[in-house]
Amino acid sequence: MKRIAIIEDDHAIRENYMDLMQRYGYQVEGYSGREQAMLAFNSRLPDLAVIDVGLGHEYDGGFLLCQQLRQISASLPIIFLTARDNDFDSISGLRLGADDYLSKEIGLEHLMVRISALFRRIGLSESNAQSQHNILQRGALTIDNDKMQISWEGNNLEVTITEFWIIHALAHKSGVVKSRQQLMSDANMVVDDNTITSHIKRIRKKFMQIDPLFDEITAIYGMGYRWDISTETGTQHTAQSSLCN
């Protein structure tokens, strides 16, 4: 049984979400604040953390909690579920490493579909090794499907589950333009276009921390994204410019 942790300071809202997820067969634990949640997480991490942004007196407590969790685990699934649905907060949450950012206006059935899709991606890591080669090599990129690890020029990248499957979807069909809808399908996600764009930007940033000349992900205006393999590996790359979003 999958374990979900809900970090929400409003008691009634927290209980409602806990009851909902329990009806769907999940084991659910609720926490009213960041410190209370971290005490529990230091002993055992959940299978999914659903976090509100504002937690009691901490206006950005959820963002801080996300940062703390990412220091513990790069792959723990994290969803923000909050009334703060403006673009600035949404982008901030995704850049901090969340897999999804949802408004509390979302329908309950839609919420459970998003959670189910996230868990399904995790399950793909177990079946993927049986249906594909364990190692995918694309130039300087190496993807280990068994360990769900990605490396560039021999250096490991710390990626979330969502980032892993986006990179995998692009690199598996290198040179082929993938629309945002195709990326969602290939990576088994249910997110909006802006969320895909934010994930791509974060993925690029992680590669560029290892290699400032990284330029493998090309945005094709009005179509989507493509993984291009440089003709040279190492610190030298072909002079190929990515179109901006």
Side-chain angles (χ1 to χ4, degrees), residues 64-84:
L64 181 56
L65 177 58
C66 181
Q67 288 180 306
Q68 291 177 302
L69 286 173
R70 279 289 166 254
Q71 291 173 359
I72 299 173
S73 171
S75 59
L76 170 69
I78 297 174
I79 293 176
F80 279 111
L81 183 60
T82 177
R84 287 166 52 179

Side-chain angles (χ1 to χ4, degrees), residues 22-232:
Q22 286 168 351
R23 291 200 301 271
Y24 275 78
Y26 297 112
Q27 180 181 340
V28 189
E29 300 162 351
Y31 305 96
S32 61
R34 179 180 60 84
E35 293 181 357
Q36 180 192 26
M38 281 306 302
L39 284 175
F41 297 159
N42 283 330
S43 297
R44 184 185 181 187
L45 287 174
D47 297 309
L48 167 66
V50 179
I51 308 174
D52 192 5
V53 174
L55 296 173
H57 66 279
E58 294 187 308
Y59 182 75
D60 289 335
F63 288 156
L64 181 56
L65 177 58
C66 181
Q67 288 180 306
Q68 291 177 302
L69 286 173
R70 279 289 166 254
Q71 291 173 359
I72 299 173
S73 171
S75 59
L76 170 69
I78 297 174
I79 293 176
F80 279 111
L81 183 60
T82 177
R84 287 166 52 179
D85 57 356
N86 62 77
D87 287 344
F88 178 80
D89 283 329
S90 175
I91 292 171
S92 296
L94 293 170
R95 284 179 174 172
L96 287 172
D99 294 280
D100 210 345
Y101 192 102
L102 306 176
S103 166
K104 287 180 179 176
E105 297 294 324
I106 190 173
L108 297 181
E109 185 175 353
H110 191 180
L111 169 63
M112 299 314 298
V113 167
R114 301 285 271 260
I115 290 175
S116 177
L118 195 52
F119 279 135
R120 194 159 55 247
R121 290 207 303 281
I122 299 170
L124 284 176
S125 65
E126 300 174 357
S127 61
N128 196 52
Q130 300 175 6
S131 59
Q132 303 182 38
H133 294 297
N134 293 343
I135 302 295
L136 177 65
Q137 191 79 43
R138 293 290 185 270
L141 175 74
T142 302
I143 300 178
D144 188 324
N145 294 306
D146 282 344
K147 299 178 181 178
M148 287 197 74
Q149 289 183 347
I150 291 178
S151 63
W152 180 257
E153 296 178 344
N155 299 293
N156 287 335
L157 256 70
E158 293 292 334
V159 295
T160 67
I161 292 171
T162 299
E163 292 165 350
F164 177 90
W165 287 115
I166 289 176
I167 296 169
H168 188 282
L170 285 170
H172 184 63
K173 296 289 186 180
S174 57
V176 176
V177 177
K178 290 280 188 178
S179 69
R180 289 172 173 82
Q181 188 62 44
Q182 287 174 321
L183 282 177
M184 283 190 277
S185 177
D186 291 348
N188 201 21
M189 294 187 294
V190 183
V191 297
D192 58 30
D193 288 355
N194 289 335
T195 302
I196 289 286
T197 301
S198 295
H199 281 306
I200 291 290
K201 289 180 178 179
R202 182 174 172 84
I203 288 168
R204 282 178 175 143
K205 183 178 179 180
K206 288 187 175 184
F207 276 105
M208 293 181 73
Q209 287 175 344
I210 294 176
D211 179 5
L213 297 179
F214 173 83
D215 199 22
E216 251 60 4
I217 300 176
T218 302
I220 307 301
Y221 183 76
M223 296 181 64
Y225 298 94
R226 183 182 65 215
W227 185 277
D228 294 316
I229 302 175
S230 298
T231 56
E232 299 179 10

Side-chain angles (χ1 to χ4, degrees), residues 6 8 10-20 22 30:
I6 299 179
E8 163 65 57
D10 186 295
H11 176 77
I13 294 176
R14 185 173 66 250
E15 290 296 319
N16 285 339
Y17 283 129
M18 290 178 66
D19 289 343
L20 170 69
Q22 286 168 351

